[in-house]
C-alpha cells in the first residue's frame, strides 16, 4: 500500500517532469514524507527546487519551458501560494508557455475524522470558496484531486492539455486528506504518452500553401510581422530562408522571442506600422498585436495572410485586425511548405526581382546600423549613462550563444536595437503584462542552458517586482549564475509617458508630478546580490562601463550571480 502522494510523484515521473519549482507548506506533509522515502530508496523522481518566493518558482518554469518547449511543475501552498504565482500564470498564459501549477488545499475535515485532518489555525483561514478563481483566467484546464486512485491519470491529463497547441498553464489542487489516502499498486493504472499524449499543430492543405506562395511571388513589396514565432528554432530558420527566397521584410513588434537574425538583410526592425505605407502584401506569423491601430491607418487595398498557432485569439475579448486568410497551424511547417512550392515555381524573372529588393533592404539595413552606431557613441554623462551606449558595450562582451531576457520596458528599444542577436532562443521576453518576470526566467534559462551566459535586462521598477532576494538565493544555492543589469532611471518612465499621451497639457505635466518616481539616491541594488554571496557593483560614470561589465561577467563565469546597477538618469 502506498499513499496518494506516492502515486502523484509516480505520475510526474512517468511524464518526464524533471523539475518541481516549489514553495511548500503544511498541506504538503505527505509529499515531503514520500520524497524522503524515495530518496532513501534511491528512486528516480523530479528534482524539487526550493524557491523562497512563488514569483521566482513560476518564472523559472517559464524560462525553462521557453528554452526547451517542455513544461515543468510548480508546487505552492493553498490560496496564498496560488495568489503569489498568479501574475506568473498570467505571463505564461499570454506567452503560451506550458506549466503545471499544483497547489495544496486545506483539509476539509476539522475533527480528526481522516488522516491529514485540520491541525493548524491556517487550515481555517486558507480555505476560500473558490481557490481556482485566482488563476482561472490564465489556465487551459483545472482540476482538484478528490482521490489518489487516479492521481497518475489526472497528471497525465493535465500534462497533455498544457503541452497541446497552443500550449499553456494548467492548475491542479491537492487536498491534504486525498494525499494521505493509501492504495494498492494494482489499483492504480498507468497512462502512457502514446495513447494519452498531447496534440501538436501541423501544416495546412496544399491548396492554401499554394495560395500563400503565389501571393508572395506576385507581390512587389511583401512584409511580415511576428512576435513569438521564434519559440521554435526551426521556425526562425524557415522564416529567414523564405524571407531571402521571396524578398520579404520581416518586422518584430513587442517580440517575446527573436524571430529573425539581426544580420539578415530582410530584418526590417521593430516598427511595422510605418512599413505599411508602401507594402502590398503582409504576413502575420505568430503574433498577437502586430501594431497599434490607433497610430496606423488601415490600408483596405493591402492583403494580409495570417498563420498562427492561435489565429482567432480566443482568449482576447477584443482583437480587431482584418486578415484575408487566417489559418491555425504550425508556422515552421507552413513556411517549409511554402518554400518548397516557391522553389518549384519561381523563374529567373522572379529571382531577379527579389535580388533587386534585397539590395534595397541592404541599403536600409546599413542606414539603420549607422543610426544605431551614432546613438551608441553618445555615452551620456555621470549619473545619466546612455542606455544605448551601455547595451552596445554589453553586446560587444557577449557571444551569440548567450541569452538575453528583456524586461527593460521603457528602455526595451535600447536592448532590442543595441544588443545584437542572431540565433534562435537567444532573446526572450514575455507576452504578458506582469512585471518582475526576468529574474526567475533567467534562472530557468540557465538551468536549461548551463553552458550559456544568461543576462537579465531590467528596469529599476521591474527589479522591485521581481522578488530579488529570492532570485539570488536560488542563483547561489543551485549554482545558477546570472548577470542582472538594472537600468535605473529612478521610477516608472512608462507611467509618466502614459499620462503625457492622454493628458499632454494637463496639470500633471505642468507640475511634473506623475506618482512614478522612486527614491533613487539611497538605493543600492547591487547589495542585494552581495547579501547572498553574489557579485554586485554600481556604475555611474560612462568611463567605467566596459570594465564594470567585464568584472560582472568574470564573476558569472566563476559561478557567482552578479548585479550591475547602472544609473541612467531620472524621469
Amino acid at each position: 500500500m502506498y499513499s496518494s502522494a506516492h502515486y502523484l510523484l509516480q505520475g510526474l515521473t512517468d511524464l518526464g517532469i524533471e523539475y518541481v519549482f516549489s514553495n511548500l507548506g503544511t498541506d504538503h506533509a505527505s509529499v515531503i514524507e514520500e520524497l524522503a522515502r524515495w530518496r532513501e530508496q534511491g528512486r528516480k523522481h523530479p528534482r524539487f527546487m526550493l524557491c523562497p518566493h512563488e514569483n521566482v518558482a513560476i518564472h523559472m518554469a517559464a524560462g525553462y519551458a521557453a528554452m526547451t518547449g517542455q513544461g515543468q511543475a510548480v508546487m505552492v501552498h493553498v490560496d496564498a501560494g496560488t495568489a503569489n504565482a498568479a501574475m506568473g500564470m498570467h505571463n505564461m498564459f499570454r506567452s503560451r508557455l506550458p506549466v503545471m501549477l499544483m497547489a495544496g488545499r486545506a483539509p476539509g475535515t476539522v475533527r480528526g475524522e481522516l488522516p491529514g485532518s485540520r491541525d493548524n489555525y491556517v487550515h481555517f483561514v486558507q480555505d476560500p470558496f473558490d481557490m481556482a478563481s485566482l488563476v482561472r483566467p490564465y489556465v487551459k484546464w483545472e482540476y482538484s484531486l478528490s482521490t489518489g486512485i487516479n492521481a497518475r491519470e489526472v497528471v497525465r491529463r493535465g500534462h497533455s492539455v498544457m503541452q497541446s497547441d497552443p500550449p499553456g498553464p494548467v492548475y491542479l489542487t491537492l487536498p491534504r486528506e486525498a494525499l494521505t489516502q493509501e492504495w494498492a499498486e494494482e489499483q492504480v493504472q498507468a497512462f502512457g504518452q502514446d495513447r494519452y499524449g498531447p496534440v501538436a499543430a501541423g501544416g495546412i492543405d496544399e491548396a492554401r500553401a499554394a495560395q500563400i506562395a503565389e501571393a508572395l511571388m506576385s507581390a512587389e513589396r511583401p512584409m511580415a510581422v511576428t512576435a513569438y514565432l521564434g519559440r521554435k528554432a526551426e521556425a526562425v530558420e524557415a522564416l529567414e530562408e523564405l524571407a531571402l527566397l521571396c524578398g520579404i521584410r520581416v518586422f518584430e513588434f513587442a517580440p517575446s522571442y527573436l524571430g529573425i537574425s539581426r544580420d539578415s538583410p530582410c530584418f526590417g526592425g521593430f516598427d511595422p506600422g510605418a512599413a505599411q505605407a508602401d507594402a502590398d502584401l503582409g504576413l502575420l506569423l505568430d503574433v498577437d498585436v502586430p501594431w497599434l491601430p490607433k497610430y496606423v491607418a488601415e490600408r483596405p487595398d493591402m492583403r494580409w495572410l495570417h498563420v498562427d498557432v492561435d489565429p482567432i485569439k480566443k482568449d482576447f475579448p477584443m482583437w480587431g485586425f482584418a486578415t484575408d486568410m487566417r489559418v491555425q497551424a504550425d508556422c515552421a511547417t507552413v513556411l517549409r511548405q511554402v518554400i518548397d512550392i516557391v522553389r518549384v515555381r519561381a523563374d529567373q524573372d522572379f529571382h531577379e526581382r527579389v535580388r533587386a529588393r534585397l539590395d534595397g533592404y541592404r541599403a536600409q539595413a546599413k542606414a539603420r546600423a549607422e543610426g544605431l552606431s551614432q546613438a551608441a557613441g553618445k555615452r551620456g554623462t555621470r549619473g545619466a549613462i546612455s542606455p544605448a551606449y551601455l547595451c552596445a558595450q554589453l553586446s560587444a562582451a557577449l557571444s551569440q550563444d548567450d541569452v538575453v531576457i528583456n524586461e527593460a520596458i521603457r528602455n526595451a528599444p535600447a536592448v532590442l536595437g543595441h544588443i545584437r542577436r542572431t540565433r534562435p532562443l537567444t532573446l526572450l521576453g514575455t507576452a504578458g503584462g506582469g512585471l518582475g518576470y526576468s529574474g526567475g526566467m533567467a534562472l530557468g534559462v540557465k538551468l536549461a542552458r548551463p553552458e550559456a551566459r544568461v543576462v537579465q535586462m531590467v528596469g529599476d521598477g521591474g527589479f522591485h517586482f521581481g522578488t530579488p532576494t529570492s532570485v539570488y538565493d536560488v542563483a547561489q544555492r543551485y549554482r545558477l549564475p546570472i548577470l542582472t543589469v538594472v537600468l535605473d532611471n529612478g521610477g516608472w518612465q512608462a507611467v509618466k509617458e502614459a499620462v503625457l499621451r492622454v493628458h499632454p497639457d494637463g496639470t500633471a505635466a505642468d507640475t511634473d508630478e506623475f506618482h512614478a518616481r522612486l527614491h533613487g539616491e539611497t538605493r543600492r541594488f547591487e547589495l542585494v546580490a552581495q547579501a547572498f554571496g553574489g557579485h554586485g557593483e554600481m556604475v555611474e560614470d560612462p568611463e567605467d562601463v566596459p570594465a564594470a561589465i567585464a568584472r560582472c561577467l568574470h564573476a558569472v563565469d566563476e559561478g557567482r550571480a552578479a548585479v550591475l546597477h547602472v544609473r541612467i538618469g531620472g524621469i
Side-chain angles (χ1 to χ4, degrees):
M1 299 285 285
Y2 294 104
S3 72
S4 299
H6 168 93
Y7 295 111
L8 176 71
L9 291 178
Q10 185 62 62
L12 295 174
T13 304
D14 293 343
L15 296 171
I17 296 292
E18 296 185 72
Y19 298 99
V20 179
F21 305 105
S22 57
N23 189 290
L24 305 178
T26 62
D27 39 310
H28 299 118
S30 296
V31 174
I32 295 169
E33 172 64 20
E34 200 64 29
L35 277 171
R37 192 173 67 83
W38 280 40
R39 287 194 198 97
E40 188 177 60
Q41 296 175 352
R43 300 185 59 150
K44 179 184 176 182
H45 60 76
R47 183 183 183 188
F48 277 63
M49 301 190 73
L50 181 62
C51 301
H53 195 282
E54 294 87 351
N55 180 60
V56 170
I58 194 73
H59 285 118
M60 282 188 75
Y64 192 90
M67 284 290 103
T68 66
Q70 299 303 309
Q72 302 300 301
V74 174
M75 188 172 285
V76 301
H77 64 293
V78 293
D79 57 341
T82 301
N84 278 344
M87 188 268 284
M89 291 287 276
H90 157 86
N91 284 336
M92 294 191 74
F93 184 68
R94 289 302 185 199
S95 301
R96 296 176 181 84
L97 290 171
V99 67
M100 182 178 293
L101 177 64
M102 298 182 290
R105 288 190 65 175
T109 54
V110 300
R111 295 178 177 84
E113 299 94 327
L114 294 172
S117 184
R118 295 186 184 187
D119 57 13
N120 193 299
Y121 165 81
V122 296
H123 293 155
F124 289 87
V125 299
Q126 293 177 337
D127 185 23
F129 288 114
D130 187 5
M131 191 166 77
S133 66
L134 292 167
V135 292
R136 188 167 294 128
Y138 316 128
V139 299
K140 296 177 64 181
W141 172 92
E142 64 171 91
Y143 195 78
S144 182
L145 185 70
S146 57
T147 171
I149 199 169
N150 64 351
R152 294 172 78 178
E153 182 175 14
V154 167
V155 294
R156 166 60 68 188
R157 174 61 177 163
H159 184 269
S160 294
V161 173
M162 79 181 192
Q163 291 289 156
S164 291
D165 281 330
V170 297
Y171 183 59
L172 174 63
T173 56
L174 306 168
R176 195 162 83 153
E177 293 103 331
L179 290 175
T180 63
Q181 294 171 346
E182 293 190 344
W183 308 95
E185 285 191 89
E186 60 270 18
Q187 292 179 279
V188 181
Q189 184 178 342
F191 295 84
Q193 172 93 355
D194 54 340
R195 302 186 72 185
Y196 295 91
V199 176
I204 57 177
D205 61 87
E206 287 300 311
R208 282 189 293 181
Q211 289 179 30
I212 297 173
E214 289 294 341
L216 285 170
M217 294 175 67
S218 301
E220 294 297 330
R221 296 172 300 280
M223 62 177 288
V225 188
T226 186
Y228 60 92
L229 168 144
R231 72 192 192 283
K232 293 185 176 182
E234 59 267 29
V236 177
E237 295 161 1
L239 177 57
E240 292 189 358
E241 184 176 339
L242 181 65
L244 288 170
L245 178 62
C246 295
I248 308 167
R249 291 184 74 197
V250 179
F251 296 84
E252 297 178 13
F253 188 70
S256 47
Y257 296 88
L258 177 140
I260 188 171
S261 169
R262 304 298 182 250
D263 288 353
S264 171
C266 294
F267 173 60
F270 305 99
D271 184 11
Q276 294 180 45
D278 64 352
D280 59 353
L281 176 70
L283 302 179
L284 301 183
L285 304 172
D286 278 347
V287 58
D288 286 329
V289 181
W291 57 81
L292 298 179
K294 179 177 180 178
Y295 303 109
V296 178
E298 286 192 21
R299 289 260 318 277
D301 60 321
M302 185 173 176
R303 189 179 181 197
W304 286 98
L305 311 177
H306 190 181
V307 182
D308 202 311
V309 72
D310 178 21
I312 196 63
K313 308 302 171 190
K314 60 184 178 58
D315 298 303
F316 287 57
M318 296 293 292
W319 194 59
F321 296 90
T323 53
D324 299 279
M325 176 191 291
R326 195 180 311 168
V327 293
Q328 184 169 8
D330 174 65
C331 272
T333 305
V334 172
L335 296 182
R336 285 288 168 204
Q337 289 179 272
V338 174
I339 288 169
D340 291 343
I341 295 171
V342 172
R343 290 202 182 282
V344 170
R345 299 187 182 185
D347 57 17
Q348 188 61 32
D349 177 67
F350 171 75
H351 291 305
E352 290 294 335
R353 287 189 289 117
V354 168
R355 189 174 298 112
R357 278 206 296 271
L358 292 179
D359 288 342
Y361 296 166
R362 290 187 178 95
Q364 295 169 3
K366 182 179 179 182
R368 187 169 60 249
E370 290 172 352
L372 290 170
S373 179
Q374 290 178 7
K378 299 174 182 177
R379 302 188 304 173
T381 59
R382 183 175 182 84
I385 295 171
S386 161
Y389 166 69
L390 171 79
C391 290
Q393 291 297 312
L394 180 60
S395 179
L398 297 178
S399 84
Q400 291 307 303
D401 290 318
D402 296 333
V403 183
V404 175
I405 293 91
N406 178 22
E407 194 182 5
I409 311 304
R410 172 62 182 83
N411 290 292
V415 173
L416 295 173
H418 292 277
I419 301 182
R420 174 174 164 263
R421 299 287 84 198
T422 61
R423 296 179 184 172
L425 298 175
T426 60
L427 173 69
L428 294 180
T430 179
L435 291 180
Y437 59 83
S438 55
M441 281 193 77
L443 294 171
V445 169
K446 185 64 177 178
L447 188 63
R449 295 270 306 276
E451 74 288 352
R453 285 169 167 171
V454 180
V455 181
Q456 171 199 8
M457 303 296 296
V458 63
D460 52 318
F463 187 81
H464 279 293
F465 280 119
T467 56
T469 56
S470 180
V471 169
Y472 303 111
D473 178 278
V474 171
Q476 293 301 103
R477 176 185 306 193
Y478 295 109
R479 301 184 183 276
L480 298 171
I482 61 171
L483 169 59
T484 299
V485 179
V486 184
L487 302 173
D488 182 4
N489 63 6
W492 288 284
Q493 180 75 28
V495 175
K496 176 180 178 179
E497 292 183 351
V499 175
L500 292 175
R501 286 196 301 271
V502 179
H503 303 287
D505 302 312
T507 306
D510 290 341
T511 60
D512 193 30
E513 180 51 69
F514 300 96
H515 297 278
R517 290 188 183 90
L518 297 170
H519 189 53
E521 292 304 315
T522 60
R523 291 183 301 166
R524 298 292 300 273
F525 292 132
E526 74 278 11
L527 299 181
V528 182
Q530 293 179 22
F532 291 88
H535 175 83
E537 55 183 288
M538 182 175 68
V539 61
E540 296 184 281
D541 193 324
E543 290 280 349
D544 300 332
V545 166
I549 290 173
R551 287 190 297 271
C552 288
L553 288 174
H554 179 70
V556 169
D557 292 342
E558 288 189 328
R560 298 169 65 203
V563 171
L564 181 60
H565 179 181
V566 185
R567 303 277 195 191
I568 63 171
I571 67 171

